[in-house]
Structures are given as C-alpha cells and as structure tokens.
Amino acid sequence: MSRPTGRPSAAAPAPRAATPATALRAPAPGWAIEADVVVVGSGVAGLTVALRCAAAGARVTVVTKARLDDGSTRWAQGGIAAALGEGDTPEQHLDDTLVAGAGLCDERAVRTLVTEGPDAVRRLIATGARFDADDDTGEILLTREGGHHRRRIAHAGGDATGAEISRALVEAVRAAGIDTVENALVLDLLKDGAGRTAGVTLHVMGEGRRDGVGAVRAGAVVLATGGMGQIFSATTNPAVSTGDGVALALRAGAEVSDLEFVQFHPTVLWLGPEAEGQQPLVSEAVRGEGAHLVDADGVRFMRGQHELAELAPRDIVAKGIMRRMRERGAEHMYLDARHFGAEMWERRFPTILAACRTHGIDPVTEPIPVAPAAHYASGGVRTDLRGRTTVPGLYACGEVACTGVHGANRLASNSLLEGLVFAERIAEDITEGIAEGVTEDITEGIAAGAEPAGAAGRTEGPDERTGPSDPHATDTPGALGSPAGAPLLASEARYEIQHIMTHGAGVLRSAESLARAADRLDRVHDDAAAQLRRDGKTAEPGVETWEATNLHLVARVLVAAALRREETRGCHWREDRPERDDAVWRRHLLVTLRPDGALDVRSTDSEAFPPPTTPRAETESRP
C-alpha cells in the first residue's frame, strides 16, 4: 500500500507553477537546494523526524529560525509524561488526558500517544538524553504535575528537561551529518502544478553560503515550528514564536483547528503591570512537589475548587487565580514554596530559583508573585495520526499541529511526548513511501518554476464550505488579500496586535471583547491595504514585517473561532457564556483561508476529527 508523501510519480500530471494568492510578498528565491524531506523547526518534534528519516536513507534538510539548539523544546522545564512508573499504565494516562481535554480529545489520538509513549521515551534515552535517576537503583525519578493522578513525569537537571532533550537530539543530528539551515524564517509552501507539496521558500538572516531568500525543494515538508505565543503581550514563548507554521499552512490551503484553545500557564513570574514579551515560567512541577497557591493573606484559595486543589488541570487553576484576583482587586497571586528549604530549591529547581533571584525574588524566603500568561496552543494545523495535513505532502508535528490529543486543554508535560510520538509516525509514513518506490526523486518531477502557494485555485464558495446544514458555520467577511493587493504589515503592527489580543482574547473573553478585537484587527489590515491602493506602497519585505503579517493572520483565526464558540470549555473562557455546552459544542471548529483572504469557519460533527481529505481545490486545474 502506497504512502502519499506528496512527491509526484512518473505518471503524475505535468507540473505547473502554482498561482500565488495570499502568499507573503517576498523577493524571488536567489538560491535553491534539493532534499527528499525538509523539516522546519529544531525542537523535539523536528529533530526526531529528521533523525528517523535520515536513518532510513532519506536526504533531509532541517530549517530553523534561530540556531539549531535554540528550538522551543529547550524552554520546557517540567518534563515528559509517560507511564513508566510501577503501577502506572497507559490507560490511567489516557484517563487523565481525556479529563484535562474537557470532552474534545480525539480518543484514538490519545490512545496512540499513551501506548506508544513509553517506548518512544526509551528510544529518546537511547539517543542520548539523560533523565534524573536514583543514585542507588538507576531508576528514572518521576514527579507529578497538574491533572496527573500518578507520578509519571520524567525530568532532567531538576527543571531543565527541555534543555537536556534538545542537547541530546542536536548532538545526534550533528553526528549524523544532517544538512541544516540556521537563522532562517520559512515563508511559504511551494507546490507543483498538481497542487502537491514541492518544498518551501525561506529567508536566511545574515551573510554566508546561503543568505537572503531561497528555496528548499522537497516532496515532503514537515512543519515543526512551535507555537504562536507572541500574539499576546505576555507569554512564556520565545520571541521567535510568531505562528509562522500555522500561517504558512493557512496560505497553502490547509485546515487548522482548535486555535481558540490557548493555554495560559497559571504560574508565570509576575514582573509588573507593564511587563511584555517572554516571561519566566514557574513550572507546574513546583506545585507537584508541594508548593501552595495563596493570596496576599496566605489563604489557599484553590482548596474546594477541585479535588486536586493546586494540582487541578491548568485551565481550572488559571481560572481560579483569575477569579481570586478579581475578587481581591489584585494584579497577581502568590506561589508559596518556602517550606522546600534552600537545599531542595537548589537541587530540584535551580533554573527557576536563578530566574526568580535575577528579578529580586528569593523563593527560599518569600512567596513568588505569579499570574497566568499565554503558554501553549492546544490547536494548530489539523493532522491525522500520521501527521498528514489536508495538503498532500505537508505534515505537521508538535505545537504547530492539532492531532486531537489535547482537546480543549493540554495535560501538563504531554507536549514533549506528543512531539516525540507523532514525529516517529511521520518519519515512518515518509520513509515507507520512499522504500516502496511510489515516488520519483523530487528533481525529476517538480517544475523549476514552482511558486509559493497561497489558497490559489480554490473555487468553493461559502455555500459549499459552510452550507445551511452546518449550524455552526460562518463565512468571515472581508477580502483581505489578492495577488495584487495583499500588503505586508509594518513591524510596529506586532505590538498593536499583541495589545489587541491581550485585551480582547486573553484569559477572559466575551462576545463584546472578541468582536472589538476582530474589528481592530481588520483596521490594522485595512490601513495597510489603503496605503497600498493609494500609494502603491507596502511595508518592505523583511523578517519583522513577515512576522507581523503572520501574527495578524493567526490572530484573526483565533478570534474568529473564539467568537464562534459560544461556551466556556477548557482554556476557552467566555464570561458571557460561562457554562460548558456539550449538546451544541462538543465538536471542533475547522478554519481555512480563502483566496480573497476571508476565513471559512465550520464545525465537525463530533469530538472526533474526520479523516483529513485533500481540499477539492488542490486537485482542480488552475488558470
């Protein structure tokens, strides 16, 4: 049985260049390289795919926005969850994940995660990752985090798990001699004339053997670009997390889902009301080891709100903190772990201890001021259980993907495991296709003139995509782009977008705040489009303007979905719709980008994802 990697076979139709529609404005590529697989991102998901594909003999190129060892994975403090401990089982892990996901997990995806997870972690250890272990027995030390009923979180360096996993994978990639392109922002997907993936365009920052705008031509593209936390003013995400993968996928015609479910980590170090950008995280593992959430009077306010108190799922703890802040008129709450003592802080949480002390707070002697901040996107580019999106040859893995594992709220420390498990599945899918000989070398089948693909050639109207049979469907108005009229946003728009999203689509949302956010986001675009029509000018192509434009697109999708979902579920909290409504809303919202830049929003029939199918437009002829 063949596995569709997206590379054309000898019998494929003659390739034609895709017509760019909503593609980013950018210079034509000045250089190109060829590969079987291009992986975009260098976290646990991306590097695992690269290693497995390379081991099977595929030519792999890894493209990363910063340095190879600078992926989002290295910021992960808590650990990686898997049923490794005595008495623990995948079934128990599954139960905890389903509860945290608030009725929207795809159980098939969760079962895949928890059953394949333990062996995937063991393979990670074989790759070179060193987890904290008992000095006498050598057994991996396991801790507990929010939403878990058992100790099943493996950690490294106390609170530096992500850094250790990143170190091991980066060393393995370098030892394998895998081609890497660092300091490169991916721009758009390349497609051949049949609508199949043909590679990516990218911009390499700085000077060197490859610089400026270029292309990597490959029949399989794996998006592992991480998150989109920079759409908010305060986030735990690094500055590079600007939603580039989700934006690329949308412009390529792929479906995204569950983008309204942004997890706000409950305990982020509060640095003052004006703090912006990346904020220090105080890991859930601190609460797992016995720290208490208290208000200014020392009252443990999470007691009575959930059976697990401070160890309830993150959405519940974040809401508990926000409610207490509103009741007390406070800007933050406190995390009290003074009873740990200096030795435990220094041994178990050295990174967090150092971060707190850098900002003038000593957790050994005083409570830590904390407040929720944007942390993780539970949704993303929709995939099946092999990581395949609705665009042939385009895969997604890690935070950029929506596999159905997380539902409406991610269970703590499931993210690294998801990246690991589904990366292995993607690599298997790609390499099986190569081994079975169902595809030709990419250079034999893809036209040299392949162009960046927006949503070109899609002819479905709103009635076909969002017909009256779907009561949850909407056609978001506004022609925001065309081949001649899609502006780039100025770099300053980034801060305006962050302000709009923080105040309109943050932890607390309502129909009024979301509608206001949607209107203000439209005005940001309209002002740039008006200048383009009037003066024929748009912002100069460059990293900051591409990032701002990506943030704007992702923000629009998030707001459209959040406005449409008229309930409170998981980490989507509607003040005007405070109850969960399973009868109407136990289903997912799917969003696609039309060629004119408008959004199509429709719903699934249930909490299970239908199998991704190639959008009809991807196989239709183009002008």
Side-chain angles (χ1 to χ4, degrees):
M1 178 178 171
S2 64
R3 303 289 183 188
T5 65
R7 280 163 298 193
S9 68
R16 286 181 288 172
T19 303
T22 51
L24 291 172
R25 290 174 178 263
W31 53 270
I33 57 177
E34 297 164 1
D36 295 319
V37 185
V38 56
V39 177
V40 186
S42 61
V44 63
L47 296 187
T48 300
V49 172
L51 285 166
R52 299 293 183 269
C53 286
R59 296 175 302 163
V60 180
T61 294
V62 174
V63 174
T64 186
K65 197 171 180 181
R67 298 187 310 275
L68 193 62
D69 59 357
D70 230 3
S72 296
T73 292
R74 78 181 186 92
W75 297 99
Q77 293 176 347
I80 185 166
L84 297 167
E86 183 178 354
D88 197 6
T89 65
E91 201 68 26
Q92 294 175 68
H93 190 181
L94 180 140
D95 289 343
D96 286 344
T97 301
L98 294 179
V99 169
L104 276 190
C105 295
D106 186 319
E107 187 168 338
R108 297 170 308 152
V110 179
R111 194 169 294 280
T112 297
L113 177 82
V114 300
T115 55
E116 297 181 12
D119 283 343
V121 172
R122 294 182 184 103
R123 285 188 288 273
L124 178 63
I125 293 170
T127 303
R130 297 187 292 266
F131 291 96
D132 295 338
D134 186 277
D135 291 336
D136 297 325
T137 66
E139 292 184 359
I140 294 175
L141 296 174
L142 301 173
T143 191
R144 189 176 164 203
E145 292 184 358
H148 294 272
H149 282 78
R150 283 190 174 273
R151 287 183 170 265
R152 64 168 64 98
I153 317 302
H155 50 85
D159 59 357
T161 308
E164 170 57 19
I165 291 173
S166 179
R167 179 205 61 78
L169 291 174
V170 167
E171 286 186 6
V173 164
R174 286 175 173 156
I178 294 172
D179 183 38
T180 60
V181 183
E182 297 180 295
N183 300 307
L185 170 64
V186 67
L187 300 177
D188 276 300
L189 191 73
L190 290 169
K191 290 185 180 180
D192 67 12
R196 298 183 180 93
T197 293
V200 293
T201 55
L202 65 160
H203 173 81
V204 179
M205 297 162 262
E207 297 181 0
R209 184 164 56 97
R210 301 162 181 158
D211 57 20
V213 175
V216 182
R217 302 193 183 280
V221 171
V222 182
L223 297 177
T225 51
M228 57 184 196
Q230 289 292 324
I231 60 173
F232 295 99
S233 297
T235 177
T236 63
N237 291 188
V240 295
S241 296
T242 50
D244 307 320
V246 172
L248 175 150
L250 282 162
R251 290 192 296 268
E255 287 181 348
V256 303
S257 184
D258 295 354
L259 227 61
E260 67 270 34
F261 297 115
V262 175
Q263 188 174 79
F264 288 79
H265 198 287
T267 53
V268 175
L269 184 62
W270 189 77
L271 300 179
E274 304 303 320
E276 295 182 343
Q278 187 178 12
Q279 312 287 300
L281 176 69
V282 182
S283 170
E284 197 141 14
V286 178
R287 281 176 281 136
E289 295 291 351
H292 304 144
L293 281 166
V294 298
D295 61 20
D297 295 328
V299 176
R300 287 183 62 186
F301 56 87
M302 283 304 299
R303 282 179 166 172
Q305 295 199 37
H306 191 277
E307 61 169 335
L308 296 176
E310 285 93 349
L311 286 177
R314 287 178 178 172
D315 61 316
I316 294 171
V317 179
K319 290 171 187 173
I321 291 174
M322 292 300 297
R323 287 193 188 101
R324 195 65 163 187
M325 286 166 57
R326 288 199 298 182
E327 290 170 3
R328 303 297 299 267
E331 295 179 304
H332 61 81
M333 290 287 109
Y334 294 94
L335 188 65
D336 192 352
R338 289 175 290 180
H339 54 284
F340 285 4
E343 190 276 333
M344 180 174 173
W345 268 109
E346 291 166 1
R347 171 179 52 82
R348 184 67 179 82
F349 301 110
T351 306
I352 298 170
L353 178 64
C356 289
R357 285 176 170 170
T358 296
H359 293 283
I361 299 155
D362 188 351
V364 176
T365 61
E366 60 186 315
I368 306 168
V370 294
H375 180 58
Y376 190 88
S378 294
V381 185
R382 188 167 81 87
T383 74
D384 65 7
L385 297 186
R386 284 181 171 261
R388 295 176 289 203
T389 74
T390 53
V391 175
L394 179 64
Y395 298 79
C397 190
E399 189 173 355
V400 70
C402 183
T403 62
V405 160
H406 304 308
N409 178 60
R410 176 175 68 87
L411 180 64
S413 288
N414 267 357
S415 55
L416 292 176
L417 189 69
E418 182 197 32
L420 191 62
V421 167
F422 285 89
E424 293 187 339
R425 290 182 139 251
I426 288 171
E428 180 184 22
D429 193 74
I430 293 171
T431 56
E432 280 182 5
I434 294 172
E436 292 171 6
V438 297
T439 58
E440 298 289 337
D441 188 288
I442 191 66
T443 58
E444 296 177 13
I446 294 179
E451 294 181 2
R458 296 178 61 209
T459 59
E460 293 168 314
D463 289 341
E464 294 174 279
R465 293 290 285 167
T466 58
S469 61
D470 181 0
H472 304 278
T474 60
D475 178 19
T476 302
L480 297 190
S482 68
L488 284 176
L489 300 183
S491 58
E492 309 86 68
R494 176 183 188 130
Y495 306 103
E496 185 173 0
I497 293 164
Q498 290 172 337
H499 186 268
I500 291 169
M501 295 299 290
T502 297
H503 292 277
V507 180
L508 305 179
R509 304 167 177 174
S510 67
E512 181 181 359
S513 75
L514 290 164
R516 187 165 56 246
D519 181 64
R520 292 182 63 190
L521 287 170
D522 283 349
R523 288 206 302 269
V524 170
H525 172 272
D526 291 345
D527 289 347
Q531 182 182 12
L532 180 59
R533 288 192 300 269
R534 183 178 63 249
D535 305 326
K537 296 180 180 178
T538 188
E540 285 294 318
V543 172
E544 292 182 347
T545 56
W546 289 320
E547 285 184 333
T549 305
N550 284 340
L551 284 170
H552 183 265
L553 175 55
V554 173
R556 284 180 56 221
V557 174
L558 191 159
V559 168
L563 189 57
R564 191 73 190 101
R565 182 173 290 280
E566 296 178 335
E567 66 160 353
T568 288
R569 180 186 297 271
C571 47
H572 171 64
W573 187 2
R574 283 279 296 261
E575 292 183 281
D576 56 327
R577 302 279 183 167
E579 302 301 323
R580 171 170 153 176
D581 186 352
D582 279 353
V584 178
W585 284 111
R586 195 176 180 189
R587 60 192 73 215
H588 303 271
L589 292 174
L590 307 177
V591 184
T592 51
L593 181 67
R594 287 177 17 193
D596 63 359
L599 302 176
D600 280 335
V601 184
R602 61 191 180 91
S603 73
T604 61
D605 295 328
S606 71
E607 73 276 10
F609 279 124
T613 55
T614 303
R616 172 153 42 109
E618 297 300 332
T619 57
E620 289 175 345
S621 62
R622 293 178 172 80

